[in-house]
């Protein structure tokens, strides 16, 4: 578990957590978490997780747990879409209550969900349309901020780039 959190200089390091959940170190500059789902039985209705007769339990537990992440250890959490196996209420709540994620990059229409249901501040959530790009800056003190959103059509292979202290994320 601990090796997942140790960055490698000038290399990317990917830890597969399970399904679509991954934790990525981009050199020693940025950390990215994708579609965090740590629940033992993800469900569109959170209390189903505790019921034996509803839902489909995980066959294999996640390689990391929400509690393994230190406060501020994730610069950007990218949510691909709003299906319950990619957007798990309990996992998002756990990450938020421990102040793990600095910026949330979410599809169009989910910013209100993050604000109203989870109580995440609007300035920490960037909402993106298909093929829209965002430049996210990380200062030397570790502060992460959204610099700009750019409307642009790109090749699907051109989804994430890093240069200096900026990360460019494309919603695709």
């Amino acid at each position: 578990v601990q090796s997942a959190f140790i960055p490698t200089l000038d290399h990317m390091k990917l830890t597969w957590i399970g399904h679509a959940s991954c934790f990525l170190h981009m050199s020693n500059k940025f950390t990215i978490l994708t579609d965090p789902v740590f629940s033992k039985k993800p469900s569109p209705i959170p209390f189903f997780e505790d019921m034996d007769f509803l839902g489909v339990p995980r066959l294999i537990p996640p390689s990391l747990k929400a509690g393994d992440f230190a406060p501020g250890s994730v610069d950007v959490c990218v949510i691909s879409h709003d299906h319950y196996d990619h957007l798990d209420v309990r996992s998002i709540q756990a990450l938020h209550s421990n102040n793990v994620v600095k910026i949330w990059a979410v599809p169009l229409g989910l910013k209100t969900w993050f604000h109203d249901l989870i109580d995440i501040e609007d300035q920490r959530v960037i909402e993106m349309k298909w093929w829209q790009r965002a430049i996210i800056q990380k200062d030397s003190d570790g502060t992460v901020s959204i610099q700009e959103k750019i409307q642009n059509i790109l090749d699907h292979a051109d989804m994430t780039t890093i240069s200096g202290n900026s990360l460019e994320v494309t919603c695709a």
Side-chain angles (χ1 to χ4, degrees):
V1 170
Q2 291 304 319
S3 67
F5 299 101
I6 301 169
T8 54
L9 188 61
D10 297 327
H11 291 87
M12 287 195 300
K13 182 177 184 179
L14 176 72
T15 302
W16 180 62
I17 298 170
H19 190 52
S21 304
C22 295
F23 182 54
L24 176 67
H25 278 274
M26 297 194 67
S27 184
N28 61 340
K29 298 179 182 182
F30 280 93
T31 54
I32 302 168
L33 180 63
T34 63
D35 293 337
V37 175
F38 304 104
S39 298
K40 63 181 179 180
K41 189 186 331 177
S43 170
I45 303 170
F47 67 82
F48 281 1
E49 182 176 356
D50 299 326
M51 297 182 172
D52 290 334
F53 61 92
L54 290 171
V56 179
R58 297 179 89 111
L59 295 176
I60 301 169
S63 63
L64 297 173
K65 299 178 183 104
D68 293 335
F69 291 86
S73 61
V74 175
D75 295 319
V76 181
C77 182
V78 178
I79 304 296
S80 64
H81 61 288
D82 65 353
H83 293 173
Y84 67 90
D85 59 337
H86 293 258
L87 180 64
D88 179 50
V89 175
R90 287 188 178 184
S91 298
I92 302 297
Q93 287 171 330
L95 292 169
H96 177 61
S97 67
N98 292 325
N99 203 26
V100 170
V101 178
K102 296 175 185 175
I103 299 289
W104 299 83
V106 303
L108 189 63
L110 282 181
K111 186 172 190 168
T112 301
W113 184 92
F114 273 78
H115 182 266
D116 293 351
L117 186 63
I118 311 295
D119 199 30
I120 297 174
E121 304 84 12
D122 283 345
Q123 67 270 19
R124 293 183 50 210
V125 180
I126 182 170
E127 194 173 51
M128 299 171 67
K129 299 185 283 188
W130 279 87
W131 299 111
Q132 192 170 31
R133 296 186 304 167
I135 296 176
I136 299 169
Q137 178 78 30
K138 185 173 184 178
D139 296 334
S140 59
D141 66 358
T143 303
V144 177
S145 59
I146 303 161
Q147 295 301 307
E148 62 181 309
K149 287 197 313 188
I150 307 160
Q151 185 65 38
N152 195 4
I153 304 280
L154 296 175
D155 227 353
H156 191 72
D158 210 11
M159 286 175 47
T160 305
T161 57
I162 187 169
S163 95
N165 291 331
S166 293
L167 174 71
E168 190 171 312
V169 178
T170 301
C171 186

